[in-house]
């Protein structure tokens, strides 16, 4: 999505440790109208998949997933992160290891909101090593729902999450894939 | 807002400890189209206030604030919750005591995203004792921005947050005010 690449070039900041900060429109301040455009783009990419629900994870996936849901006219379910070890029996839960925070946390979704008839589009803001995404797929599998698509705003193509998910056969589409961040320059993968 | 009251009656659940669960459309599963309608209602209520930014707090305020922002055509800034004591110097921060979690946490907003020229609409999903709202107002005051309106989806009218904020002169409007939850019955305040 060209406009996204322009936004990343203009407003993104490259930090040490391969960190790309897009706080000014995606992660802290939100450009709602642009998120709406990206939601429309996800609809264009996945509209033939019979999607019944959009799944995301708190925090930064929520706004973009909600915008996409306006086009798909389906509910959003966001997985909650929790340190709690005493998880309700009425939830699907999975463990996710965060490299940035260097700790494991639980994610969970109420069993009420996912079931075997669901065809899911999973949306998230970033894909890097893919641990959070594997956790979301695990929740979907526990419920019997089918993952019909994975929509990512910014994929870090130099980390292994995208390659792994594509090799597993997931219908993964990213609005922008960053292949390299060098000396502050951001190199995007060609479409 | 009558449709909200109907949704709360049909889909809300009253739990011990004056807890009202609206997980099926507002806090875990999100009804994006209904959130969009509520965003439009916030626009109707606050459109003459010259709003330049919508402020909310993670997690549950983000979706409704983003929908409202589509009508106001302004950015959303969401305050982040953090346990960290080593807060960046580039942030405004405040402490919030959570009665439900029985602990104090920090909230913060980057100084980049709030300034003295901003006219803010603060939006949140719930208002009860009002501690999170006081924290958000504190962040706004630190930045010099003016709080021109406070928009709440569900106000618990039997707790003191709403009364306090109105007595302080804030332009607070709630889409539904619950005055009583007794034996599973929800009594709304008349408009």
């Amino acid at each position: 999505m060209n406009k996204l690449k322009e936004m990343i070039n203009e407003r993104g900041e490259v930090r040490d440790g391969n960190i790309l900060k897009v706080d000014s429109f995606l992660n802290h301040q939100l450009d709602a109208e642009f998120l709406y455009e990206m939601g429309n783009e996800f609809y264009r990419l996945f509209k033939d998949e019979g999607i019944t629900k959009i799944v995301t994870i708190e925090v930064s996936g929520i706004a973009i997933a909600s915008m996409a849901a306006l086009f798909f006219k389906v509910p959003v379910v966001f997985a909650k992160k929790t340190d709690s070890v005493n998880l309700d029996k009425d939830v699907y839960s999975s463990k996710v290891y965060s490299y940035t925070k260097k700790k494991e946390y639980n994610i969970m979704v109420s069993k009420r909101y996912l079931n075997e008839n669901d065809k899911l589009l999973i949306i998230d803001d970033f894909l890097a090593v893919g641990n959070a995404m594997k956790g979301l797929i695990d929740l979907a599998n526990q419920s019997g729902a089918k993952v019909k698509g994975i929509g990512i705003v910014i994929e870090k193509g130099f980390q292994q999450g995208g390659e792994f998910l594509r090799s597993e056969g997931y219908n993964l589409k990213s609005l922008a894939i960053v292949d390299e961040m060098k000396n502050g320059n951001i190199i995007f993968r060609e479409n």
Side-chain angles (χ1 to χ4, degrees), chain A residues 12 48 55 62 65 82 85 90 94 97 128 136 141-142 147 160 179:
Chain A
D48 299 325
V55 170
I62 293 175
T82 167
V85 284
D90 301 328
S94 190
Y97 181 78
L136 290 173
N141 290 341
Q142 290 174 42
V147 178
Q160 72 269 32
D179 268 339

Side-chain angles (χ1 to χ4, degrees), chain A residues 31 64 117 134:
Chain A
D31 183 330
I64 175 70
N117 298 316
K134 286 177 195 167

Side-chain angles (χ1 to χ4, degrees), chain A residues 93-96 107 130-140 142:
Chain A
S93 69
S94 190
K95 287 182 192 303
V96 173
I107 64 172
N131 282 346
M133 187 55 64
K134 286 177 195 167
L136 290 173
I137 291 169
D138 182 22
L139 298 183
Q142 290 174 42

Side-chain angles (χ1 to χ4, degrees), chain A residues 102-140:
Chain A
K102 302 212 184 321
K103 66 168 189 177
E104 195 173 64
Y105 59 94
N106 290 293
I107 64 172
M108 67 92 170
V109 162
S110 166
K111 289 185 179 176
R112 294 188 194 191
Y113 302 128
L114 289 182
N115 66 65
E116 70 276 13
N117 298 316
D118 278 321
K119 297 178 180 179
L120 305 181
L121 171 60
I122 305 181
I123 285 184
D124 208 0
D125 57 338
F126 270 95
L127 176 67
V129 294
N131 282 346
M133 187 55 64
K134 286 177 195 167
L136 290 173
I137 291 169
D138 182 22
L139 298 183

Side-chain angles (χ1 to χ4, degrees), chain A residues 83-105:
Chain A
D83 293 320
S84 165
V85 284
N86 297 315
L87 286 168
D88 202 325
K89 280 169 191 159
D90 301 328
V91 302
Y92 302 114
S93 69
S94 190
K95 287 182 192 303
V96 173
Y97 181 78
S98 165
Y99 283 96
T100 41
K101 296 191 176 166
K102 302 212 184 321
K103 66 168 189 177
E104 195 173 64
Y105 59 94

